[in-house]
Amino acid sequence: MTAYPTHPGARPRPAAPPPALVVVAHGSRDPRALATALRLLERVRALRPGLPVHLGHIELNAPLLPDTLDELAASGAGSAVLVPLLFGRGHHVTRDIPDAAAAAPLPIRVAAPLGAHPLLVDALHARLTEAGWREPRDAGERRRSAVVLAAAGSRAPASRADTAHLAALLAGRLGVPVVPAYASAAAPTVPEAVRALAARGRTRVAVASCFTAPGRFAAECADAAPGTVSDPLGTHPATARLLLHRYDQALRTGTPAAGPAALTTA
């Protein structure tokens, strides 16, 4: 095929916009959760100027995810990547978000949840340090030290496995045992984990809050902490970078997009 040179006066075609990044949050009755999510999105936009970044909720807050996807389609967006602002492979990740993607009026890819990733460990470690956690001074203090990783909880075994994996990564960073505990749907609870650690001589215990924003579960776990307890991850820069990492990862997989237009665009 003959290649014809571009006419000297022709303007180059503008590059197609990248797929929109839709951060999928759970939703909460606590108004601080929505405010935190919006600030986190601003961090993501600052890290990736020019990337369309939107928010959709599974429940309790507007905009709901289907409404966000309808608005993107109406605006002419070519496609989107849904990135769960969730930690593990629970029901919302395995059912609710894929179902919304399948019903969407534009091509969709679904990214992995935040999961057990070193960037998440960075954020958890930083929040613990801000709360006053310090490395044990000596071997004796190390034998008395431990951390409880407080998460929302899920009946899904895969979600609990993700939390356990994250706890193992955090333990490797801190050099002390890290025990997963849950606010609902799974055991042990934070008080149960604290008592079990105390029975083993681990009396210097901090609680690492594995929550994206303030809310009921985060508050209940903080109230059960025997001492140092970290704030939710909120707008920590590592969380914003992890959202972008999951977005990029989803684009690299080559997995066909969900949605009715997938057959012609994937």
Side-chain angles (χ1 to χ4, degrees):
M1 179 181 292
T2 303
Y4 295 95
T6 304
H7 189 277
R11 294 181 179 179
R13 293 182 179 178
L21 189 167
V22 178
V23 175
V24 185
H26 182 276
S28 171
R29 292 183 176 87
D30 190 318
R32 295 173 296 172
L34 176 57
T36 300
L38 292 173
R39 291 197 302 271
L40 179 60
L41 263 63
E42 289 303 316
R43 275 202 182 273
V44 174
R45 293 185 183 107
L47 288 170
R48 188 76 58 89
L51 176 64
V53 180
H54 301 267
L55 178 64
H57 292 93
I58 295 169
E59 59 184 3
L60 299 175
N61 289 116
L64 293 173
L65 179 56
D67 296 334
T68 296
L69 299 180
D70 287 345
E71 290 176 8
L72 280 172
S75 71
S79 62
V81 177
L82 309 187
V83 183
L85 187 59
L86 302 166
F87 295 102
R89 294 166 292 168
H91 183 84
H92 293 313
V93 168
T94 60
R95 294 292 300 276
D96 293 338
I97 295 175
D99 286 352
L106 76 167
I108 297 292
R109 294 177 189 272
V110 179
L114 299 179
H117 191 277
L119 283 169
L120 192 52
V121 175
D122 289 346
L124 289 165
H125 188 192
R127 290 290 187 244
L128 274 172
T129 302
E130 291 164 4
W133 170 264
R134 55 171 174 74
E135 291 189 11
R137 292 192 181 97
D138 52 39
E141 191 172 72
R142 188 174 299 278
R143 286 192 295 271
R144 296 192 302 274
S145 299
V147 168
V148 172
L149 180 66
S154 172
R155 292 183 179 87
S159 179
R160 296 194 297 274
D162 292 336
T163 305
H165 186 190
L166 179 59
L169 291 179
L170 184 59
R173 177 72 60 87
L174 299 177
V176 300
V178 176
V179 177
Y182 305 97
S184 69
T189 64
V190 171
E192 288 168 345
V194 170
R195 287 195 295 270
L197 286 166
R200 292 156 44 194
R202 301 280 178 173
T203 55
R204 179 181 178 259
V205 177
V207 173
S209 296
C210 192
F211 302 99
T212 57
R216 179 170 65 90
F217 283 167
E220 289 175 354
C221 290
D223 289 344
T228 299
V229 56
S230 64
D231 288 335
L233 300 181
T235 60
H236 193 277
T239 308
R241 292 198 298 272
L242 183 51
L243 288 169
L244 285 169
H245 171 73
R246 294 303 188 205
Y247 170 87
D248 294 337
Q249 191 178 46
L251 291 180
R252 289 196 302 267
T253 60
T255 304
L263 294 179
T264 59
T265 58

